[in-house]
Amino acid sequence: MAIENPFNGILKTLENPDGSVFGKYYSLPALNDPRIERLPYSIRILLESAIRNCDEFAVKAKDVEKILDWENTSPKLVEIPFKPARVLLQDFTGVPAVVDLACMRDAMNRLGGDSNKINPLVPVDLVIDHSVQVDVAKTENAVQANMELEFQRNRERFGFLKWGSSAFHNMLVVPPGSGIVHQVNLEYLGRVVFNTNGLLYPDSVVGTDSHTTMIDGLGVAGWGVGGIEAEAAMLGQPMSMVLPGVVGFKLIGKLRNGVTATDLVLTVTQMLRKHGVVGKFVEFYGEGMSELSLADRATIANMSPEYGATMGFFPVDHVTLQYLKLTGRKDETISMIESYLRANKMFVDYSEPQVERVYSSHIELNLSEVEPCISGPKRPHDRVPLKEMKADWHTCLDSKVGFKGFAIPKEAQAKVAEFSFHGSPAQLRHGDVVIAAITSCTNTSNPSVMLGAALVAKKACDLGLEVKPWIKTSLAPGSGVVTKYLAKSGMQKYLNQLGFHIVGYGCTTCIGNSGDIDESVASAITENDMVAAAVLSGNRNFEGRVHPLTRANYLASPPLVVAYALAGTVDIDFETEPIGRGKDGKEVFFRDIWPTSEEVAEVVQSNVLPDMFRATYQAITEGNATWNQLSVPEGTLYSWDPKSTYIHEPPYFKDMTMSPPGAHGVKNAYCLLNFGDSITTDHISPAGSIHKDSPAAKYLLEHGVDRRDFNSYGSRRGNDEIMARGTFANIRIVNKLLKGEVGPKTIHIPSGEKLSVFDAAMRYKNEGLDTIILAGAEYGSGSSRDWAAKGPMLLGVKAVIAKSFERIHRSNLVGMGIIPLCFKDGEDAESLGLTGHERYTIDLPSNVGEIRPGQDVAVVTDAGKSFSCILRFDTEVELAYFDHGGILQYVMRNLIHAKH
């Protein structure tokens, strides 16, 4: 039974300077514990949450002590519970979350429980943002045209979410066309400090997109979790997490003239990947902090998944308060935030002497050493200094196929593909740019790089430079505010002149919503086997993600995206080679169009104003005509349409009983897929367009959906039939069972037949056979996609044996009842002589009480091999989820028992 909070003795009243009362709060200084002063600020947020939620049931006083003693406990990987203040969803992950809540209500009804108990217990902010497929690009009315197309395609999905906003309490839905979820979170939703019924506490958030970390730039602790974990958090479950180590990242100095925040981010990303920060917090500090705007901080925080950290945290200071004022937050709210954080030792005042905090490890960067750079051609942490880009490109052409290689024979590297573009002769070479997109939350948060891109466009237009007409250019701001300051500065017209029209407000090219490139360009690429390039100001450039036909994908700052679009190729040395010829016939170089830091600062200062934020977010609360006219069903139980190819009732709770199924091992399982290192959730989870020959396409055609109406996997995340068929359907996936062949196929071992992964999995299931997956290091890196765990579960996968897992994906596998195992250090499938043609038995007790987190487990094959693996259930709570068959089943049974 829950008891009164044992820490109620440290509840203090916080007074306004004028004598009025802000509210009560749990005071960390009132603990009189000298360890608090030495704690990183990010850990203090975990501490406050544990104190405030302590009920000696879900959160215990001993958990508080573990966090207080962080200096000694964090190296021991102790488990703690964490209850975030709120949950953030976007529509691609929001749809399955609302689907699951609706299913849980149905199951509660069936099992005799109170279905109205299925309601979010913490505020849930759902932003519909992944809804801009770039169909219409080079036109003034692109936004309107794309939005109309999105409403046509996604009316059912939008309607379902609108139903959810009224069916479930505590759920705010931000309509489509408002901006990218992380930008809306930063500018509007982020509270920094909550005041709920007179109780003050720090804002903290878990979100279903891995880039939820962007909010850490605002001093709000936030990170990405799988949709499965987020749903449990919504229902009041504490998240079980290992108390993380904290890497202290000291910043000194100042960025040089002409160096952008993006250059800094790509440098930080590479440094932290090298340092090794998976599962850790990174906390930034040092005198260099005063040189970083809030937008710069948010850009660094956003890239946490790319450097592998749980979050990159910037404690609240004067820069944070200035940003809150800029973005239209009320003065009294800002005053409350500052007073509370100062009173509770969570505010950094750089004008005061700094107490030395303890960190698990240290890293330092002098900002003056950062140089212009881009990352690619296939991974975000493969940074290339701009001055080395041409040489690096030629090395990539030469090198064998891999993260930095395309294996183009020497004699073919100078090949020219001739084609006709709308009646005019055109040419394509290796490295030519066919997509140039200013996109994604990473950079469109940042006025300095957005207006910097506009200044590059202005200088280029003044000199008479043009972008080749077949390059697909686009601009997708994260917020409507960008439109306002581009218009006020008079700069949008220059971007338009070069083809960078605004196409919409949401995730576009970075998530694979780049739309089609011109047919003549596509044919020239495929018929001549050209390595075409995309340059985007996003955060992800994994293979096959941006567009199936761009084998080289580079991350760059918005100004560099414009520069590369003008050059038309990545095969250029900007220092020595001209970008093009101006209207006077003279050569124009990169230095001729690149703005100084002073020029950028001046245009930012005079054109980014608080009223723009207030007006933009006032419009959000009012919705838009198309959204407001959507008619939705009433009632708290959803009426499922069996014919729908968008919203489908998944089978998770169909056969659920009141008794947990218990723990289980795996017997004589076949290997469905055998992978090497760095298999990302982009490889596993359905994403991007639906290939015409795929099992998902076959399903849609059988259900009367025309090919032009396939839409994307993301838009169909509410239909498990399509998502299961799209699992492991990435065209660039490499499965060792195929012996060098690339693509979404596998070998059905008993028959030796080569089948699509889905068809092979269904054959095993129909034969009553279990399957496992073998994998290398960093299995499941990338986005926090719940379907990367839901999909394998629906395919019948019972266990994954890998060298190592990315944090979020491992916990998602646990949440779906899949057993995660790690090879012992120094061992992997290859060193153990495993081919994937064996049958695997994993010996686990049927009584969960006999299993320990992290214990050794024996794996035996039918070929007589036996080896030991580490069981990666990391906490007792995860073992409870496994016992129940998954996290949602655990929550459901607890809610039903609570009724009685």
Side-chain angles (χ1 to χ4, degrees):
M1 282 293 291
I3 60 162
E4 186 181 88
N5 191 324
F7 292 96
N8 278 351
I10 61 166
L11 261 179
K12 301 290 179 195
T13 300
L14 184 69
E15 289 189 356
N16 207 332
D18 67 8
S20 61
V21 171
F22 283 125
K24 288 187 178 295
Y25 69 103
Y26 285 92
S27 167
L28 300 187
L31 287 171
N32 291 322
D33 194 313
R35 293 174 293 183
I36 291 172
E37 283 285 354
R38 291 165 60 78
L39 287 179
Y41 286 95
S42 47
I43 298 298
R44 296 179 198 188
I45 291 175
L46 301 184
L47 175 63
E48 189 283 338
S49 173
I51 289 170
R52 178 168 34 88
N53 290 297
C54 188
D55 59 1
E56 293 297 4
F57 177 65
V59 183
K60 299 178 179 173
K62 67 179 184 185
D63 296 316
V64 173
E65 174 55 30
K66 285 179 194 171
I67 303 170
L68 264 171
D69 202 34
W70 171 85
E71 205 173 327
N72 298 310
T73 53
S74 68
K76 297 173 185 168
L77 304 178
V78 300
E79 171 196 352
I80 60 156
F82 175 59
K83 284 194 171 189
R86 61 189 171 99
V87 172
L88 183 70
L89 307 173
Q90 37 74 288
D91 61 331
F92 275 14
T93 47
V95 168
V98 179
V99 164
D100 290 352
L101 286 174
C103 280
M104 288 173 81
R105 277 197 172 167
D106 290 347
M108 278 289 253
N109 248 9
R110 181 171 58 79
L111 293 168
D114 178 3
S115 64
N116 285 322
K117 279 197 169 182
I118 306 292
N119 257 319
L121 294 182
V122 298
V124 175
D125 300 321
L126 196 162
V127 182
I128 304 179
D129 78 335
H130 273 190
S131 50
V132 187
Q133 184 84 8
V134 185
D135 293 283
V136 182
K138 296 196 180 189
T139 166
E140 294 275 3
N141 67 347
V143 174
Q144 190 57 33
N146 284 318
M147 278 305 297
E148 284 170 8
L149 284 165
E150 289 308 323
F151 263 96
Q152 285 168 26
R153 290 185 184 117
N154 301 302
R155 184 171 293 276
E156 186 181 349
R157 189 171 106 235
F158 293 167
F160 176 67
L161 291 175
K162 194 174 177 186
W163 167 79
S165 69
S166 57
F168 297 101
H169 308 313
N170 236 356
M171 187 182 285
L172 167 73
V173 175
V174 176
S178 304
I180 290 169
V181 57
H182 312 304
Q183 192 61 34
V184 174
N185 194 20
L186 196 70
E187 294 177 357
Y188 178 62
L189 297 172
R191 280 74 153 182
V192 186
V193 172
F194 266 89
N195 186 344
T196 304
N197 301 322
L199 183 65
L200 305 170
Y201 51 95
D203 187 1
S204 57
V205 59
V206 293
T208 50
D209 186 280
S210 53
H211 293 107
T212 300
T213 53
M214 189 171 188
I215 200 66
D216 297 315
L218 194 68
V220 173
W223 60 86
V225 294
I228 304 149
E229 282 181 293
E231 288 167 33
M234 283 159 56
L235 295 165
Q237 285 299 302
M239 284 173 44
S240 174
M241 63 185 283
V242 171
L243 186 60
V246 183
V247 178
F249 198 124
K250 188 174 186 180
L251 296 168
I252 60 171
K254 182 178 180 179
L255 290 175
R256 286 179 304 179
N257 194 7
V259 175
T260 67
T262 316
D263 301 322
L264 169 60
V265 172
L266 296 178
T267 304
V268 167
T269 299
Q270 186 185 43
M271 287 173 74
L272 286 171
R273 262 288 165 193
K274 192 175 173 190
H275 187 77
V277 292
V278 170
K280 295 187 174 78
F281 289 176
V282 176
E283 185 165 296
F284 293 87
Y285 70 104
E287 57 267 32
M289 289 281 278
S290 60
E291 298 296 328
L292 293 186
S293 71
L294 198 291
D296 291 350
R297 297 173 181 194
T299 312
I300 295 169
N302 183 294
M303 290 284 273
S304 296
E306 281 69 41
Y307 44 82
T310 303
M311 65 177 181
F313 187 73
F314 290 82
V316 175
D317 61 12
H318 287 101
V319 173
T320 323
L321 301 179
Q322 285 161 10
Y323 181 80
L324 292 172
K325 199 170 182 65
L326 171 69
T327 49
R329 268 76 162 203
K330 293 176 182 167
D331 288 344
E332 55 267 34
T333 304
I334 298 169
S335 173
M336 179 266 289
I337 288 168
E338 183 177 2
S339 299
Y340 168 77
L341 294 175
R342 281 185 183 275
N344 226 5
K345 301 275 188 193
M346 293 180 178
F347 186 87
V348 184
D349 191 333
Y350 287 104
S351 67
E352 296 173 355
Q354 297 298 296
V355 175
E356 193 62 38
R357 290 178 298 286
V358 177
Y359 292 110
S360 311
S361 62
H362 293 81
I363 194 164
E364 185 173 306
L365 173 64
N366 188 328
L367 297 174
S368 67
E369 292 170 7
V370 176
E371 58 182 322
C373 55
I374 65 176
S375 276
K378 301 180 187 185
R379 295 191 302 187
H381 52 282
D382 289 337
R383 187 181 68 92
V384 188
L386 208 56
K387 63 188 182 202
E388 296 169 20
M389 182 56 195
K390 189 179 177 80
D392 191 82
W393 171 252
H394 284 276
T395 304
C396 289
L397 288 179
D398 288 335
S399 299
K400 65 179 187 181
V401 173
F403 295 126
K404 293 288 288 184
F406 298 106
I408 303 298
K410 277 278 189 224
E411 65 275 11
Q413 288 182 15
K415 184 177 187 178
V416 179
E418 307 274 354
F419 68 103
S420 172
F421 182 79
H422 297 203
S424 300
Q427 295 180 330
L428 209 59
R429 294 174 173 81
H430 291 299
D432 276 6
V433 174
V434 296
I435 292 175
I438 300 174
T439 178
S440 155
C441 47
T442 318
N443 290 284
T444 55
S445 66
N446 199 326
S448 67
V449 288
M450 294 300 284
L451 285 163
L455 282 168
V456 170
K458 180 183 187 303
K459 288 171 186 273
C461 290
D462 289 348
L463 290 166
L465 294 182
E466 293 178 347
V467 174
K468 292 185 178 74
W470 57 82
I471 297 177
K472 187 165 189 177
T473 44
S474 61
L475 167 58
S479 159
V481 177
V482 179
T483 308
K484 289 184 168 62
Y485 63 64
L486 283 174
K488 184 177 188 304
S489 64
M491 292 286 179
Q492 182 65 54
K493 65 183 177 195
Y494 301 110
L495 287 162
N496 289 351
Q497 205 173 312
L498 296 183
F500 288 94
H501 293 88
I502 293 178
V503 294
Y505 304 94
C507 291
T508 55
T509 306
C510 187
I511 193 71
N513 287 351
S514 44
D516 293 332
I517 52 179
D518 190 88
E519 278 182 30
S520 63
V521 180
S523 300
I525 294 169
T526 51
E527 287 164 15
N528 296 280
D529 194 27
M530 304 306 287
V531 183
V535 185
L536 62 149
S537 66
N539 41 30
R540 291 274 160 88
N541 56 340
F542 301 124
E543 284 183 280
R545 179 182 174 108
V546 171
H547 192 283
L549 296 181
T550 57
R551 276 148 73 188
N553 301 285
Y554 285 94
L555 305 182
S557 66
L560 272 178
V561 170
V562 177
Y564 273 110
L566 289 161
T569 179
V570 297
D571 185 7
I572 183 173
D573 180 348
F574 279 144
E575 283 191 23
T576 61
E577 296 177 85
I579 276 184
R581 289 192 182 275
K583 53 192 171 195
D584 56 4
K586 284 186 188 165
E587 291 181 336
V588 176
F589 287 83
F590 179 77
R591 57 184 169 269
D592 300 325
I593 60 168
W594 200 253
T596 64
S597 300
E598 287 73 23
E599 285 177 290
V600 174
E602 191 180 320
V603 73
V604 169
Q605 196 66 41
S606 49
N607 292 291
V608 184
L609 306 169
D611 282 350
M612 295 176 175
F613 292 90
R614 288 193 196 98
T616 298
Y617 289 106
Q618 179 61 37
I620 279 182
T621 56
E622 292 164 2
N624 58 60
T626 324
W627 171 260
N628 294 341
Q629 285 160 15
L630 268 181
S631 61
V632 296
E634 291 180 5
T636 58
L637 293 176
Y638 190 70
S639 305
W640 304 98
D641 176 1
K643 295 193 196 72
S644 171
T645 56
Y646 276 100
I647 310 294
H648 183 260
E649 185 180 7
Y652 316 135
F653 309 110
K654 286 259 168 81
D655 303 318
M656 183 178 156
T657 59
M658 285 299 293
S659 305
H664 59 85
V666 177
K667 199 164 178 63
N668 285 327
Y670 281 99
C671 176
L672 180 64
L673 294 148
N674 182 4
F675 292 130
D677 294 346
S678 293
I679 290 293
T680 71
T681 49
D682 282 312
H683 290 113
I684 307 167
S685 172
S689 57
I690 297 170
H691 195 270
K692 65 181 190 330
D693 300 323
S694 65
K698 187 180 171 198
Y699 176 89
L700 287 168
L701 290 168
E702 284 170 357
H703 284 74
V705 178
D706 196 283
R707 194 182 154 201
R708 68 170 181 272
D709 297 321
F710 278 5
N711 214 329
S712 64
Y713 280 114
S715 64
R716 294 187 180 274
R717 275 178 108 148
N719 188 311
D720 57 286
E721 296 280 6
I722 289 161
M723 298 303 278
R725 285 164 172 77
T727 302
F728 299 110
N730 186 299
I731 58 167
R732 301 270 180 229
I733 207 163
V734 178
N735 170 16
K736 291 181 186 176
L737 295 177
L738 294 181
K739 303 203 180 303
E741 188 184 329
V742 177
K745 303 265 180 171
T746 196
I747 302 297
H748 176 255
I749 307 290
S751 66
E753 280 184 70
K754 184 165 75 175
L755 301 170
S756 75
V757 177
F758 175 78
D759 289 340
M762 290 306 103
R763 192 178 289 186
Y764 284 125
K765 275 187 101 168
N766 294 336
E767 292 162 348
L769 299 167
D770 287 345
T771 54
I772 63 140
I773 287 169
L774 293 176
E778 296 181 340
Y779 183 73
S781 54
S783 300
S784 55
R785 293 219 173 113
D786 52 332
W787 272 108
K790 285 178 174 176
M793 186 277 285
L794 291 173
L795 295 181
V797 173
K798 301 299 180 192
V800 178
I801 311 175
K803 276 178 80 173
S804 64
F805 292 93
E806 196 85 344
R807 175 187 63 86
I808 299 173
H809 184 60
R810 185 204 61 80
S811 62
N812 280 354
L813 291 173
V814 173
M816 292 312 294
I818 295 173
I819 303 166
L821 295 166
C822 274
F823 291 108
K824 286 294 185 76
D825 273 358
E827 294 184 345
D828 58 18
E830 215 158 86
S831 72
L832 292 166
L834 305 174
T835 64
H837 287 260
E838 310 85 353
R839 297 185 76 171
Y840 293 79
T841 295
I842 300 165
D843 192 22
L844 273 182
S846 56
N847 179 358
V848 80
E850 295 171 30
I851 306 174
R852 296 183 324 279
Q855 76 176 52
D856 284 1
V857 170
V859 182
V860 181
T861 73
D862 63 336
K865 283 211 167 85
S866 179
F867 56 98
S868 183
C869 284
I870 300 160
L871 182 67
R872 287 298 311 277
F873 293 125
D874 288 357
T875 65
E876 296 291 343
V877 174
E878 288 188 344
L879 283 172
Y881 296 157
F882 180 55
D883 188 46
H884 279 261
I887 194 169
L888 296 179
Q889 290 84 344
Y890 170 85
V891 171
M892 282 267 296
R893 290 189 182 99
N894 277 357
L895 284 170
I896 292 169
H897 287 306
K899 172 180 179 276
H900 302 298

